[in-house]
Amino acid sequence: MARRLLMLVIATTALAVAGCGSSKKVASTRSVATPQVSAPAIPLGKQVLARTELPQVVRSAGVRPSRSEQILVRGLDPLFQPKVLARRLRAAGFRSAEVEGIAGRGKLAKTTGGFSAVVRLGSAAGAADEVKFLHARTLSRCPEVNICDVFWKPFAVPGIPGAEGSIRWRKAKTKNGPAFRQYFIFFSVGPNGYGETVGGPYGTVSQAQFVRGVTALYNRLAG
């Protein structure tokens, strides 16, 4: 399988990782919480990871706004079922989105990155449903089932009510792609859904820094 961009939104970051596949399933650790009804008061464009909230090995590559759900599915890995996701977003009352590209620093520019995305939907319940859908996709086998050599597992994000965390990885280089590790966190606040991911060569990105940064983002939103 050719190396592909594991992007949930737009192909703004050159991630030299393979985002599909696995030979292992683990049950989700999602905590149950009542969705907040109101959206955060700060501008939507500020509801992505700030410079100080990013892991040390990456930087912001800019934020793009859109009033079309296509910004969230264009260039999307088939793992996330782009056409299905687009229909779900429209049905959930899609209104607008902001997407921040994340790129690796220095020599990691072509192998490390991700995104921070926020989408405004029609209701808190709709946003919470999309969090569940996207998290479930990160814990799914790839479409090319005969060449799956990627593993996954969920992880808890105790500082964010209702948040879903997961990791996908390939520990050693194979004919299907390089060794990598990719982290995901999805959560919602009122009618807003949030998707955060960063990854790169195996061992490059700190999970603790990623979780700490996303938790800081949530605290800004909730504050």
Side-chain angles (χ1 to χ4, degrees):
M1 176 186 62
R3 290 185 289 183
R4 68 157 65 104
L5 297 181
L6 183 51
M7 298 294 286
L8 177 60
V9 282
I10 53 175
T12 57
T13 306
L15 266 178
V17 299
C20 66
S22 181
S23 58
K24 178 178 179 182
K25 287 189 178 180
V26 185
S28 172
T29 57
R30 180 178 183 271
S31 58
V32 177
T34 301
Q36 179 178 319
V37 175
S38 60
I42 63 177
L44 202 64
K46 299 293 185 182
Q47 297 183 37
V48 294
L49 289 170
R51 179 182 58 82
T52 57
E53 295 163 349
L54 292 168
Q56 294 177 355
V57 297
V58 297
R59 61 177 178 80
S60 174
V63 181
R64 292 180 58 185
S66 180
R67 294 190 177 277
S68 169
E69 77 281 353
Q70 289 302 308
I71 194 174
L72 300 172
V73 299
R74 191 177 297 117
L76 180 64
D77 191 301
L79 176 73
F80 290 99
Q81 299 180 328
K83 292 182 179 179
V84 173
L85 178 58
R87 289 196 299 268
R88 290 180 61 95
L89 291 171
R90 290 193 295 269
F94 175 89
R95 296 181 181 178
S96 61
E98 300 270 350
V99 179
E100 176 186 32
I102 297 172
R105 295 181 180 275
K107 294 181 180 180
L108 297 175
K110 294 184 179 181
T111 61
T112 303
F115 63 82
S116 176
V118 53
V119 55
R120 174 70 58 82
L121 299 175
S123 69
D129 284 345
E130 295 316 302
V131 165
K132 296 176 186 177
F133 172 79
L134 290 167
H135 176 66
R137 297 312 306 161
T138 69
L139 301 177
S140 301
R141 293 183 65 86
C142 62
E144 303 89 348
V145 295
N146 294 327
I147 58 173
C148 287
D149 58 4
V150 176
F151 294 84
W152 65 75
K153 67 178 180 180
F155 62 81
V157 190
I160 306 177
E164 305 269 22
S166 60
I167 312 171
R168 293 180 76 84
W169 76 93
R170 180 188 293 118
K171 196 168 185 178
K173 181 180 179 180
T174 72
K175 64 180 181 180
N176 298 321
F180 76 94
R181 187 156 50 189
Q182 188 88 15
Y183 301 102
F184 299 87
I185 295 177
F186 299 101
F187 66 96
S188 62
V189 179
N192 292 0
Y194 301 84
E196 321 297 330
T197 184
V198 67
Y202 195 89
T204 299
V205 180
S206 165
Q207 179 178 344
Q209 288 182 9
F210 176 59
V211 173
R212 187 161 56 246
V214 177
T215 303
L217 166 62
Y218 171 77
N219 289 336
R220 279 200 293 118
L221 300 173

